[in-house]
Amino acid sequence: MFKSVGLVARYDNNHALKLAEELCEYLRSQKVEVYAEETLDGRADLRAEFIPLRLMKPDFLITIGGDGTILRTCIEVPKPEPPILAVNKGVRGFLTEVEPKDACAAAERCLKGDFRIERCCKLAISTEGETIPDGLNDVVVSAGEPSKLLYTQIIKDKEPILRCQSDGLIVATQTGSTGYSLSAGGPVLDVGVDAFVLTPICSLTVFRSLVFPAETKVTIKAIRPKDTLVLVDGRYRLRLKSENAIITITRSKNFTSFIRFKDDFYGRLRNRLLFKGMG
Amino acid sequence: MFKSVGLVARYDNNHALKLAEELCEYLRSQKVEVYAEETLDGRADLRAEFIPLRLMKPDFLITIGGDGTILRTCIEVPKPEPPILAVNKGVRGFLTEVEPKDACAAAERCLKGDFRIERCCKLAISTEGETIPDGLNDVVVSAGEPSKLLYTQIIKDKEPILRCQSDGLIVATQTGSTGYSLSAGGPVLDVGVDAFVLTPICSLTVFRSLVFPAETKVTIKAIRPKDTLVLVDGRYRLRLKSENAIITITRSKNFTSFIRFKDDFYGRLRNRLLFKGMG
Amino acid sequence: MFKSVGLVARYDNNHALKLAEELCEYLRSQKVEVYAEETLDGRADLRAEFIPLRLMKPDFLITIGGDGTILRTCIEVPKPEPPILAVNKGVRGFLTEVEPKDACAAAERCLKGDFRIERCCKLAISTEGETIPDGLNDVVVSAGEPSKLLYTQIIKDKEPILRCQSDGLIVATQTGSTGYSLSAGGPVLDVGVDAFVLTPICSLTVFRSLVFPAETKVTIKAIRPKDTLVLVDGRYRLRLKSENAIITITRSKNFTSFIRFKDDFYGRLRNRLLFKGMG
Amino acid sequence: MFKSVGLVARYDNNHALKLAEELCEYLRSQKVEVYAEETLDGRADLRAEFIPLRLMKPDFLITIGGDGTILRTCIEVPKPEPPILAVNKGVRGFLTEVEPKDACAAAERCLKGDFRIERCCKLAISTEGETIPDGLNDVVVSAGEPSKLLYTQIIKDKEPILRCQSDGLIVATQTGSTGYSLSAGGPVLDVGVDAFVLTPICSLTVFRSLVFPAETKVTIKAIRPKDTLVLVDGRYRLRLKSENAIITITRSKNFTSFIRFKDDFYGRLRNRLLFKGMG
């Protein structure tokens, strides 16, 4: 089944690097070809070929880290994306599936085909000819500076529907609805809902989250100021300098696929809702 | 096309009664058979047959009032429901389509077939063998007393997903998402989203609105107290006295159909968001 | 110092009754006169005089239960209220100070005078000649039925300031700001802020929590419907049947005093914010 | 009484410039000495002495613009601040008192002493030896980039009370509680409440607005990332580059004084709550 794997790990965490080494040895012992992200070269002792993420085309991926590592991987890896086994070695692991101690057993199940695929919708984003990576969680359109009002018009397909003065607008997928959009006051979309959600950040205008059908084309016209930021999955940043910048968002034809052993969306949601770090 | 009409009007408002009389005359002049809700008998001077709403089966309905009049009509009228032309003569007219001065012209367009039908999903609600009318806007499960904690468990299809301690839980359709659910902090569902939304009222538990696919069967187990209230569209009330009362909610096979001349969901939404009465 | 004590305990909980017995024995051994709430008579084996709460005038009180037990005690006990040592034997114990295992040691510290008094403001509530007990947490003015719109006018001292259409209005003290008002979206008032907070429940009107100086007289005119409910600390209920019922709220001259060993408002707040019961 | 005036006006608005000219002529005719902000030199035809705001020490100030013009003026003018007559010529005029057509009549009342002073508290902000202007509305501590998590610890006087992961934290005065803090979900503080409010922006942590006594010293420790932004009244920006940056906020000894003719805080609040621009 799976004959090759790509290994991605946080390189700022010794446990993650150690675990990458273990997994590499195990996978090689199972005759699986191992590619490692080039940033691991010199940091982990891996008997693997080091290549950049953007060239990696394995049968599946193993990420060792938190949600940040997953989001970064999905932005860079060639499409269509190979399925991801996400090992939790991060501060927030809402998207991850297994704990480090279960990583090798999980890899074994992957090789046996003993898993389920959770296929997650992504957002296709376009603006003025720029190539922008798809978003797994969300895209944020904001002013270029924090806490600065952005004047926007929201257009559904061709119809201007609302104007909004806010710090920015978040458009999130079902997956992303438990992330930044939730922090901004948005609802949680069940994975089965074929929709995405637009949530304003600190809106001066009276405004609420809007849930759109996934096939809607939502256009955000950023009227003022000229300095606008488009932020995909909290990682990819594009600065626009034109007045009336137009950002168009709709469902992508691409997906991110997670390898899952249990169906635990709501278990993960409960942890997310109660996220602490309040000390 | 339309050969018969049912007239429903607020009987506590003289302008509404007057308008009912005018419409009745106009419709009769067009050879349309007119039925009037029996509560109008003796209050308005109508050359029409007076019958109760629950027996009314005309080709279409005209309601003169606000959202309350519409909701009451939809609860009582036999299924499948005839389409509704909703004339605004109420405090809140978020669901209505025409102003009183345009009522006759609108009736004329109805007779010519010059309109669009907006078909709205409804909620099928069941509990312990009781017959409960479908909800056009929402169903609320709460304790029998205001501001009293209700302990609930929420079950999606067969899976218990969350527990919640709150004043109650609202399940709203797309149509109802701009009503009580919005007041409780919920998102607005675009009419094209095939989903409904569950929003808690004053939740003690950390909890957010959840958007479910319309085909989901959501079960609310009301664990405590024994005295529970099921409220459909703010009008139909059923008191349950058992512990662990089970209320099941899913998409109904019935619909409510509105006669629309323009496509103005977002215009109505803007008015709703800015609802005043702040004086 | 303390020569007499009043014992109040949840009588639906065997551990609470058992603990009442232990405390009673300990306190008698220390020559303290013990009064027990009459509801404990026949339920717990107490060598104490049983009298109703409303006649109890000891040097201090020990409550064994959760916040509900404390709130009930404060409503009934004669004014000025004796200080309370609150032992946590409830579902929610945000106001309590010690765990059951530490109850006797805490009682010992009380007898030695080794404690701090936390003095909490209360709300004086009046309406149309009715005597209403002071609120330690909050007073809610709502329609008599759950999820029913109440039309209100809010008057600050003599000035009408806002109208509101909502399920109800909560006026909460600093203590109560972490209770029902928080669930309704209100802010937390630090114990040192000389203020109270008005928070609407599911407001249809655009409206936010308002924080008033403690000496303000806030008047709520309940315009419609006629059936209005005044609810103090979630326990004392008064139904009003008049249109335009007038409820006036200001700081009481009475206080509730808690015996505290540590200064842990924010520790209790952290627990409150993360309140689970999500299952 | 008032013998000199400082004129500040938006120089990007012809009506504002015209009005400045009119007011200047009127005031000179009343023998009042007129200073004009130097940015008006060459833009408006003023028989006045042009000097920078930071050197202006008149008996009172007239601002022609919106809230932005007022906030900019308060940041720059020497302390103690002269009282401000605020003429509304802006997008948002929540702080302003008179409309342009009433400006000369208002100036006349000022000269006669026929007005009331509204004295507004300000925030004193300090960080690592930097001089930061007082805030009339608010101070925001955020990451240097929009929509980026900032890890903070909040310290009340000397006690660490909560940790928070959010886009940032707003500390607002009573005046500022109707501004950015309100957009972020905070309560409105009545002008009589001697307090300020801390409101998180898009908090990942479960967190709510906290209202502190005005004499509290609130310290925000910005743990991560290193790139932190301190933003006063949406105008003054200071970037900090150290880890664990410490920002301390308390009541300033300075005030901003507005010339008021009526007492209309709640009238202005109602306009603010319903702020439109929804198109």
Side-chain angles (χ1 to χ4, degrees), chain B residues 87-101:
Chain B
V87 183
N88 185 17
K89 199 68 212 175
V91 183
R92 277 184 304 281
F94 305 129
L95 299 174
T96 62
E97 180 68 9
V98 295
E99 292 305 305
K101 66 175 175 48

Side-chain angles (χ1 to χ4, degrees), chain B residues 158-174:
Chain B
K158 307 252 158 162
E159 182 197 8
I161 56 172
L162 288 166
R163 282 169 182 275
C164 181
Q165 298 183 27
S166 64
D167 282 9
L169 298 173
I170 306 165
V171 178
T173 61
Q174 302 97 322

Side-chain angles (χ1 to χ4, degrees), chain A residues 45-214:
Chain A
D45 182 16
L46 298 171
R47 289 195 297 158
E49 185 181 344
F50 293 97
I51 54 174
L53 251 180
R54 65 170 201 285
L55 299 177
M56 216 182 254
K57 295 191 160 193
D59 292 340
F60 77 118
L61 283 162
I62 299 179
T63 61
I64 307 169
D67 290 357
T69 304
I70 296 171
L71 294 168
R72 177 171 67 84
T73 300
C74 295
I75 284 178
E76 295 187 26
V77 87
K79 311 303 157 196
E81 304 176 16
I84 296 172
L85 172 66
V87 182
N88 185 16
K89 198 70 212 176
V91 182
R92 280 182 304 282
F94 305 129
L95 298 174
T96 61
E97 180 69 10
V98 296
E99 293 305 306
K101 68 177 173 45
D102 302 319
C104 281
E108 192 182 348
R109 288 184 65 177
C110 289
L111 300 185
K112 282 188 195 155
D114 177 18
F115 58 82
R116 202 173 53 75
I117 288 291
E118 180 188 354
R119 208 171 74 146
C120 296
C121 289
K122 305 192 76 169
L123 298 169
I125 308 146
S126 63
T127 184
E128 299 169 15
E130 292 279 349
T131 305
I132 297 179
D134 289 349
L136 171 59
N137 263 358
D138 48 40
V139 54
V140 183
V141 178
S142 70
E145 286 280 321
S147 302
K148 180 156 189 175
L149 266 189
L150 180 73
Y151 292 68
T152 51
Q153 184 177 42
I154 301 162
I155 298 157
K156 184 199 164 194
D157 297 322
K158 305 253 155 160
E159 182 196 8
I161 57 172
L162 288 165
R163 280 170 183 274
C164 181
Q165 297 183 27
S166 64
D167 281 9
L169 297 173
I170 307 164
V171 177
T173 61
Q174 302 97 321
T175 307
S177 72
T178 62
Y180 190 42
S181 177
L182 186 76
S183 297
V188 172
L189 305 185
D190 183 276
V191 288
V193 175
D194 197 26
F196 52 82
V197 58
L198 184 152
T199 302
I201 305 168
C202 295
S203 182
L204 185 65
T205 322
V206 180
F207 197 103
R208 281 295 172 71
S209 285
L210 294 174
V211 180
F212 292 106

